[in-house]
Amino acid sequence: MLSRHYNPVSAQDYIPRPLLRQVQLQRLQKIVAHEYSNVEFYRRRMDEKGVKPSDIRSLEDIAKLPFMMKKDLRDTYPFGLFALDMKQVVRLHASSGTTGKPIVVGYTKEDIDVWVGCMMRALAMAGVDRGDIIQNSYGYGLFTGGLGAHYGVEALGATVVPTSGGNTERQIMLMRDFGVTGICCTPTYFIHLCEKAGQMGVDLRELPIRVGVFGAEPWTEGMRKRIEELSGIEAFDIYGLSEMSGPGVGIECGCHDGIHIFEDHFYPEIIDPETCEVLPDGEEGELVFTTISKFAMPMIRYRTRDITKIIAEPCACGRTIRRIARISRRSDDMFIIRGVNVFPSQIETGLLAVEGALPHYRIVLTRREDGLDDMLIEVEVNEESVSDKVRAMEELQHKFAHSVERILGIRAPVRIVPPNTIPRSEGKAKRVFDLRNENKQKS
C-alpha cells in the first residue's frame, strides 16, 4: 500500500527492495566498466588493486573497488576525471576553490536529466507541487545549489523566483508581494532573512510561506526548531554535494526521521574512516557514495567525510529507499582541544539548549605561549536576555558553558555578545576562526 504522501513524480521512491538492488547492480556494473575504459586515473587505481570490471558480480563486490577523494579531483584538475569527450559535456560546475584548486564537475544532457529528476523527487517529498511559488535564494553560477533547485522547481511545475543570495530587504519584499509559499537556501541565511524581516516589521508567520528546503551546510535540530518558531514553516533538510551532482542526493520526508537517499542513482556505503572497512547498517561512520548513473564524470566510492549512519528500519512514510541519519558533522571539521575531539555541531547543540540563545555563534581557536590550544565561544542572545546586571549575565554565561561542557566533557569560556554582533552569511556560515598559526607567527 502506498503512503498518502505518494506522488507520481516520486514513484521510484517506492520501488520494491529486490528490484531496486537489481537495478543498482546493473547500473554499478555498467558505470565501473565505463570508468575503467575511459578514465586512466581510475583504471590505474583498479589495476593496482588487481580488480577488473568483470569482478563486480554482486553489490557487495563494490568493496573491492578503490576509493576516490577530494584530493583526486584537485590533482586531476580540471578535466582529468572526465569519462567522455568534451563534445558530450553540456555543463560545468565548480566549487569556490577557497582551500586550493576548485573542484570541477561535468554533466552530459542525460546527467542533467537525472539531476533534475532527483530534485523533482526531493521537492515533491517536501510537499512542493504545481501552484507553489518557490523563492530560490541559493547562489547561482558555478555553485550547484542555485541551478539545481531552479530546474527542479520548474520541472515539477511550480513557479520559481530566482533571487539568488543577497539583497535581503528586496528578498523579503518579493516574498511578501509575490505570495511565496516555499524557499530554498542555507539555514543560516534563512535565519538572517527572518531577523531582517522582523526589523522591517514583516512577520513571516503571517505570509503564505509554508515550507523551506535547507541545505549546503550542517545544521542541528536546535536550528530547525528556531527556524520553525520564527517563521511558522516546515523545515526540510536536503542533502547533496557537487561531486555527486549537486543538491538532490537525498532529503527528509514529512516524518523528519532521517534523509531518504535516491539510491537508484547514488549508492551509499558507511565505512570506518580509519580502517576503511564497510560497516553494517545502523553503525556510524563515514558516508561513501558511488554515482551509478552519471557518465560525464562518474564518482566511484567517493569519500564524503560526512559522518552518519544508514537507518535500516523502514520509514513510516512507506518509501523503500533507505535513509541516513541527519548529517551533523564532518570528519574534516573536527579540531582537538586538550585531547578531546570537538565538532562545531556539538557546540551549537549545547548553546541552543539554553533559553535566549540565538543561532549565531563563532568558535575562536588560539594558541597560548606554552603551546597549548585554547577555545573561546562567542554567542549572541536575544534582546530579552540582555541585562545591565553583571550577575545576571555571568549566570547566563555559566549556563552556556555548563551546557557545552555536558556535551564535550571539557570546559570552554563562553562570551555573550549583543544581537547583530556576529557577521551574517548569505551562503555557508563560517563557524570556526582558527588563529593558532597567526599567534605562532606573531611570537
Side-chain angles (χ1 to χ4, degrees):
M1 179 180 295
L2 295 181
S3 160
R4 63 184 177 86
H5 299 289
Y6 174 79
N7 184 308
V9 167
S10 55
Q12 294 155 287
D13 299 353
Y14 299 88
I15 185 172
R17 290 295 305 177
L19 178 57
L20 174 59
R21 287 181 61 83
Q22 183 180 338
V23 169
Q24 289 173 324
L25 178 58
Q26 290 173 349
R27 290 180 175 178
L28 175 64
Q29 291 170 327
K30 186 175 181 179
I31 209 71
V32 170
H34 175 67
E35 181 88 337
Y36 188 84
S37 298
N38 296 289
V39 182
E40 181 184 356
F41 178 91
Y42 199 74
R43 180 167 60 250
R44 287 201 309 268
R45 285 265 178 95
M46 288 181 63
D47 287 344
E48 288 169 1
K49 290 198 69 172
V51 184
K52 301 295 182 185
S54 58
D55 294 327
I56 309 303
R57 301 184 182 92
S58 69
L59 285 175
E60 287 69 31
D61 287 336
I62 195 172
K64 299 176 180 178
L65 296 168
F67 292 103
M68 300 178 78
M69 303 178 70
K70 184 165 287 190
K71 182 178 183 297
D72 298 334
L73 282 90
R74 293 200 171 108
D75 289 346
T76 56
Y77 172 89
F79 306 138
L81 292 181
F82 283 23
L84 290 172
D85 187 273
M86 285 298 293
K87 292 178 181 179
Q88 295 175 266
V89 176
V90 300
R91 192 192 298 176
L92 297 175
H93 279 287
S95 68
S96 60
T98 54
T99 57
K101 288 183 178 180
I103 300 302
V104 179
V105 290
Y107 308 77
T108 66
K109 174 62 170 63
E110 291 72 23
D111 294 340
I112 293 288
D113 290 343
V114 167
W115 184 15
V116 171
C118 288
M119 278 303 303
M120 289 173 64
R121 290 163 67 180
L123 292 164
M125 203 180 298
V128 177
D129 208 339
R130 292 176 181 271
D132 275 310
I133 301 174
I134 307 300
Q135 188 158 319
N136 185 17
S137 300
Y138 283 121
Y140 281 67
L142 288 176
F143 173 58
T144 56
L147 288 175
H150 182 111
Y151 282 103
V153 172
E154 284 190 343
L156 192 60
T159 301
V160 63
V161 184
T163 53
S164 192
N167 206 340
T168 304
E169 291 188 6
R170 186 167 182 264
Q171 297 239 14
I172 294 163
M173 179 191 75
L174 296 178
M175 191 182 300
R176 179 190 59 202
D177 295 350
F178 288 4
V180 167
T181 58
I183 188 167
C184 299
C185 63
T186 63
T188 48
Y189 185 58
F190 187 72
I191 288 280
H192 180 46
L193 280 169
C194 292
E195 292 174 340
K196 181 62 72 173
Q199 295 168 14
M200 294 170 60
V202 177
D203 187 349
L204 297 187
R205 291 170 295 188
E206 296 179 355
L207 301 185
I209 186 167
R210 60 179 177 77
V211 62
V213 177
F214 304 117
E217 61 187 13
W219 52 301
T220 62
E221 282 300 314
M223 179 77 84
R224 187 209 300 277
K225 182 179 178 183
R226 180 68 177 169
I227 284 173
E228 293 184 342
E229 286 175 349
L230 284 172
S231 62
I233 69 170
E234 185 176 4
F236 289 83
D237 188 4
I238 191 171
Y239 177 78
L241 57 164
S242 297
E243 297 91 324
M244 296 300 101
S245 63
V249 173
I251 192 172
E252 294 177 316
C253 67
C255 298
H256 299 287
D257 186 22
I259 297 170
H260 287 276
I261 298 298
F262 300 125
E263 53 177 326
D264 49 323
H265 297 293
F266 311 101
Y267 185 80
E269 300 174 86
I270 300 293
I271 65 168
D272 183 314
E274 300 298 328
T275 67
C276 294
E277 292 298 314
V278 178
L279 299 176
D281 290 358
E283 288 196 24
E284 187 177 76
E286 181 182 343
L287 179 61
V288 172
F289 273 121
T290 297
T291 57
I292 54 178
S293 59
K294 186 180 180 188
F295 284 86
M297 196 184 86
M299 288 281 103
I300 296 178
R301 304 200 80 197
Y302 181 76
R303 296 184 61 173
T304 68
R305 299 298 185 184
D306 290 331
I307 304 299
T308 184
K309 63 181 179 181
I310 292 177
I311 301 172
E313 297 77 21
C315 185
C317 75
R319 290 178 175 84
T320 55
I321 51 175
R322 290 179 296 173
R323 294 163 292 151
I324 58 172
R326 186 189 193 96
I327 303 288
S328 60
R329 68 187 195 275
R330 292 174 52 85
S331 61
D332 52 4
D333 281 346
M334 184 190 78
F335 52 91
I336 300 175
I337 297 292
R338 298 194 287 280
V340 175
N341 296 344
V342 177
F343 294 91
S345 59
Q346 295 174 304
I347 293 174
E348 179 176 305
T349 298
L351 295 176
L352 294 183
V354 178
E355 186 175 355
L358 294 176
H360 304 297
Y361 64 94
R362 59 187 171 194
I363 304 158
V364 182
L365 304 179
T366 56
R367 181 161 291 149
R368 301 187 328 214
E369 291 184 3
D370 59 8
L372 294 178
D373 292 342
D374 269 343
M375 172 175 65
L376 171 67
I377 303 167
E378 296 182 333
V379 60
E380 290 186 15
V381 295
N382 58 32
E383 297 283 359
E384 293 76 16
S385 299
V386 176
S387 172
D388 56 3
K389 296 181 180 179
V390 175
R391 183 173 180 80
M393 297 306 291
E394 288 178 344
E395 288 179 354
L396 186 55
Q397 281 188 168
H398 175 76
K399 287 181 180 178
F400 280 124
H402 179 67
S403 183
V404 171
E405 184 180 10
R406 281 192 302 108
I407 294 172
L408 297 183
I410 58 172
R411 194 163 185 82
V414 177
R415 177 190 296 161
I416 296 174
V417 298
N420 301 308
T421 299
I422 296 175
R424 305 309 193 241
S425 171
E426 295 175 2
K428 298 183 180 182
K430 184 177 182 181
R431 301 298 195 189
V432 181
F433 294 78
D434 193 343
L435 308 182
R436 289 174 291 186
N437 288 335
E438 294 183 20
N439 290 1
K440 185 177 180 181
Q441 291 170 1
K442 290 177 182 178
S443 61

